Amino acid sequence: MPRRLFAAAPRLHRQRLLAAALGLAAACAWAQDAAPAAGAAASQPVRNSTLDAPLFYQLMIGELQLREGDPGAAYQVILDAARRSQDETLFRRAVEIALQARAGEEALSATRAWRAAVPTSQEALRTELQILSALNRLDQAADPLRALLLLAPASERSSLIAAVPRFLQRAADQAHGARLVEQVLTPYLEAPDTRVAAQVAIGRAWLAGGDPARALDLVRQAHAADPAAQGPVLLALELLPTRPEVEPIVVEYLARPQSEFGLRLLYARALTATQRYAEALRQMEIVTQQRPELAPPYLTLGALYLDLKQPVPGEKALRRYLELTAEQAPAPTPPADTAGDDEDVAAVPAQGRIQAWLMLASSAEQRGDYQAAEAWLALIDDPQRALEVQARRSTLLARQGRVDEARRLLQAVPERGPQDARSKLDAEASMLREVKRWQEAYEVTAQALQREPDDPELLYEQSMLADKLGRSDEMEQLLRRVIVLKPDNAHAYNALGYSLADRGERLPEARDLIARALELSPNDPFITDSLGWVEYRLGNRAEALRLLQRAYTSRPDAEIAAHLGEVLWAEGRQDEARRIWAEARARDAGNEVLAETLKRLKVTR
């Protein structure tokens, strides 16, 4: 619809006027005070409505114009009624009509008329700021922003300051928005009761505006001013993925006895996102100790334990999750040999319970208890997760040597759209990888690539399979294609750099590739491991040891343990190496890199 809404109102039929009048009282929420609450008429004096007959008729005309498909006429009529009555609900309605018609200029005009009629309306100011942001008119936003802050009671001003960046989040020029926020909030940096809120708000605006260094400086100032404040910690968590040097602020806050457990959950999520599972696990253990009655943390805790190859505590955490959520649905008979007599499992589960059952099935599968794994899968009756369930079943079959049957099971899953076809191929390739059928997995992924030849994820998967088949040149070609298509893909840089380092080829180039990956994904333990490995290959043992120890602390993975142990072995610290390898064997005895390392170094115990 064009910006200009104004048009002549069409002639309305009298019967439509009468029909609209029947529902008008509900539409005019501002007139609700005209009728006393039921049962209260005897105790309260009767208040006459300010809705007179001409205004009633005007509102009815406006709503009917809108119903007839003429928002321009409706806007004019309702805005005129708002000006006459100075009622905020009618101004709000005029703004809504303009916004629904995508007429930003008219919405802004109505909002400014609203401000003029009701100068103390915080809602009018908030609405004007949001519209100015959407129209990218930030040069006009300073005045309403200052007015909004001045209207706020002193007790609420800090909260409002913290929300300021959100008013401008739709602006196209976020750097301009950050300059505006800093300009308006600078006076509040002087007052002790608003200083921290202003520092955090300005920092968040600069983070959105593309200057994380400025945001980092401000969050440090805010935390130093009030170490117990939550605002700086929240901003630090937003910065953490790209500015790992902010992490001490989070750690220091969480060490306080009265720290907010919700922030610990966010920290655990940030650690998990960078695959620092061991550290995330420690945080989730604290959360479940602090709030043992909450179910969701146990689901995360169980997932972390299982990923770290600790099935016993992992299954215990997942069972606890199912116990805490059992009242949400009736309980069928639990799987034989996998659940206690008092355990509850839902027949028609929420998504969290389905996730728990899938993880329990996966854990049972890893233990070789295929009957228990199937029993957990049998509890899932959700058509939306049918492919996921069948994928797990296919892996169970494949692990028992029934690969052809497993493939037929997946291929028989109905397809509701093109994405389902892709998902089926992904599941089939994943199942084949699980049982080391590299060539067949390669062929299935190639089939998917015929449909989507420029899909970075498929190209990456194909590169890993090419590596398994000993086709290093093809792997490199595929990974370089991924980097061209998706230059911020840290895994592609890391995989290419690690493959070169592992073969002892072009080591300076390998280091540059891995360093770039670490820039894109700071603190990722697998990338840190790759960098440590290339430093070892370059002969820099001290630096290699430092990096590998850091990686292993964050993620005690068997492959990282293999590399760390080898560097310790080369340094003559053989007892430490044996200890690290023993820990890794206990968690993941079948790891190929670990087995190859021990065989090459002739370590038998």
Side-chain angles (χ1 to χ4, degrees), residues 45 299 329 382 472 485 496 512 546:
L299 187 64
D382 182 352
S472 56
L485 291 169
L496 182 52
D512 290 344
R546 183 186 70 82

Side-chain angles (χ1 to χ4, degrees), residues 236-247:
L237 287 166
E238 292 179 43
L239 280 162
L240 188 57
T242 56
R243 291 283 174 167
E245 60 266 39
V246 81
E247 191 166 4

Side-chain angles (χ1 to χ4, degrees), residues 304-316:
L304 289 167
Y305 272 127
L306 293 184
D307 197 86
L308 290 169
K309 310 294 183 183
Q310 299 181 47
V312 174
E315 292 188 12
K316 181 180 178 182

Side-chain angles (χ1 to χ4, degrees), residues 412-453:
V413 175
E415 297 175 15
R416 294 169 296 178
Q419 185 56 42
D420 286 348
R422 155 72 184 272
S423 298
K424 285 172 61 175
L425 290 171
D426 287 345
E428 188 175 353
S430 177
M431 177 271 294
L432 292 166
R433 287 197 304 272
E434 288 272 353
V435 292
K436 298 181 174 55
R437 302 282 281 262
W438 310 122
Q439 181 61 41
E440 291 166 271
Y442 179 93
E443 292 166 0
V444 171
T445 306
Q447 186 180 346
L449 275 168
Q450 288 178 354
R451 299 167 179 253
E452 302 174 71

